[in-house]
Amino acid sequence: MSIHDSAPNNDEPSGQGDGKGTRYSPDLWEVIRRAWAGHPTMSYAAAVKIVGERLGIPVPSKGACATYAKRNGWVKDGAQRADADTAEPETPVVESPVPERAMAQLPPFDGSGRQSPADDASEVVQDAADGLNPRQRRFADFYLISLNATDAYKKAGYSGTGNSAEAAASQLLRNLKVQAYIAARQAVVQEKLEITQEMVLKRWWAIATADPNELVEYRRDNCRHCWGAAYGYQWIDEEEYMAAVVRHRRDEDKARDAGEKFHREPPDGSGGFGFMKSRAPNPDCPKCHGDGHGYVHIHDTRRASAVARLLYAGVKEGKEGIELKTHDQMKALDSVARHLGMFKEKVEIDVSVASTAELEATYDREMELARARALEFKGRGDRLKVVGGGE
């Protein structure tokens, strides 16, 4: 029976339990005994509290511990007595799910009846499966959520701030057992989601090669005079023209009533109707000289292609108008290149050879290996062309 088989069982006789119809495993009692016996001032209440907090499992009450200790002849290390001061108030134990770990040895005590904090990676509470103590496991679990080692270090319960916390978190992240645990958890997630390196690489490639013009364009279209009769101001239709005439007369009346001069010319309809904003500029237009009118046009993202939607990262409305946000294409391209090993690698050649001929042979061998790697990377790149390009 292990420590974690010590949950109360009310169907069994009290036996070595606390007299309330519960039973705890001998392993758990032994851990409590070591905690109590290891310090001369440790009380039963403090011992069961420490063990309960450390293991995160239900533990006996102070009274049950005292009864069991006297019945089994517990003595302090280096002393010949089987009881201890039990005047401390009993601390209620909050039950929590039993983790799959075992306790090999409790950390040292600081003389106050409480455990000394174990703020480094050398805690001695070990797990039979992965070799991590509870705090290391919490660190790894929080790191998998945020991928921020310092944040995970603090949330796991370690002390330290600023540079000291950052350095300790970095050191803990380099722990081989922590790395193995993180890799195993990530592998499980990848398997559940059926995520492969090829899928991630294809997504990077699609983002890197997407056409931003499918989402937003800077256009230069015709001005109002480009296609008007005799290059006059061209209106969309008569309704727009009449609305302008009404506004002009209203402004004129306001100026006259205020005793002010009104110099603006009335709308001129001689340019005709039929203006279309998206029409190309007239290179012979005397007003814009063929440059037209420039403006930013954002496409309806609901109609964007699947690849363009991968590039799309949302919009932001501010004082300057609407800003369309996209994912970083250069960063995605850099990720693809690094994955394929396209950046030049430093080739180290041992020059401690006996002759020039041996040096040349070594050089030829290393270059042949480099060419083989280049062909392999080229093959991977060719297989990616089907993504986004449709080739």
Side-chain angles (χ1 to χ4, degrees), residues 26-264:
D27 290 339
L28 177 60
W29 283 117
E30 177 59 21
V31 171
I32 297 173
R33 187 198 66 77
R34 291 205 309 270
W36 172 83
H39 196 277
T41 62
M42 177 68 66
S43 67
Y44 295 127
V48 296
K49 178 183 177 181
I50 289 172
V51 173
E53 290 178 348
R54 176 60 64 183
L55 295 181
I57 62 175
V59 292
S61 66
K62 173 189 67 176
C65 183
T67 301
Y68 185 89
K70 292 178 180 179
R71 182 180 300 164
N72 291 274
W74 286 9
V75 294
K76 291 283 188 178
D77 292 345
Q80 295 298 323
R81 60 191 183 92
D83 59 350
D85 179 23
T86 58
E88 286 192 26
E90 181 177 349
T91 303
V93 177
V94 180
E95 295 191 8
S96 60
V98 180
E100 290 298 327
R101 57 182 182 268
M103 190 176 205
Q105 178 184 354
L106 286 173
F109 297 97
D110 58 10
S112 63
R114 296 172 299 182
Q115 285 176 289
S116 299
D119 289 332
D120 57 20
S122 61
E123 292 185 54
V124 294
V125 180
Q126 298 294 326
D127 185 285
D130 54 35
L132 299 181
N133 61 55
R135 197 175 295 186
Q136 288 174 325
R137 192 177 297 101
R138 288 197 300 271
F139 165 80
D141 289 338
F142 281 120
Y143 177 78
L144 286 166
I145 295 173
S146 65
L147 298 182
N148 185 316
T150 304
D151 179 67
Y153 184 82
K154 295 177 180 178
K155 289 182 177 179
Y158 290 100
S159 63
T161 58
N163 294 336
S164 62
E166 184 177 349
S170 178
Q171 180 180 2
L172 186 56
L173 189 60
R174 292 195 297 270
N175 183 295
L176 295 180
K177 293 180 180 179
V178 172
Q179 291 181 356
Y181 178 82
I182 291 175
R185 287 287 306 276
Q186 289 175 331
V188 170
V189 173
Q190 290 178 5
E191 183 177 356
K192 288 183 178 179
L193 299 179
E194 298 183 351
I195 298 175
T196 64
Q197 290 188 20
E198 184 179 4
M199 291 171 59
V200 175
L201 190 58
K202 285 182 177 180
R203 176 67 64 94
W204 280 339
W205 182 251
I207 293 174
T209 57
D211 184 2
N213 282 300
E214 288 193 50
L215 299 175
V216 60
E217 295 176 316
Y218 181 75
R219 294 178 171 180
R220 298 201 70 88
D221 295 330
N222 65 155
C223 74
R224 288 282 185 157
H225 298 271
C226 278
W227 305 104
Y231 300 111
Y233 189 95
Q234 188 179 35
W235 302 89
I236 297 175
D237 50 30
E238 293 184 10
E239 182 179 354
E240 183 192 28
Y241 171 70
M242 291 305 301
V245 171
V246 170
R247 286 195 302 270
H248 178 84
R249 289 178 180 175
R250 182 185 59 204
D251 295 342
E252 190 176 30
D253 292 342
K254 286 182 178 180
R256 184 177 60 252
D257 294 342
E260 300 174 353
K261 293 183 179 181
F262 191 75
H263 301 290
R264 197 170 70 219

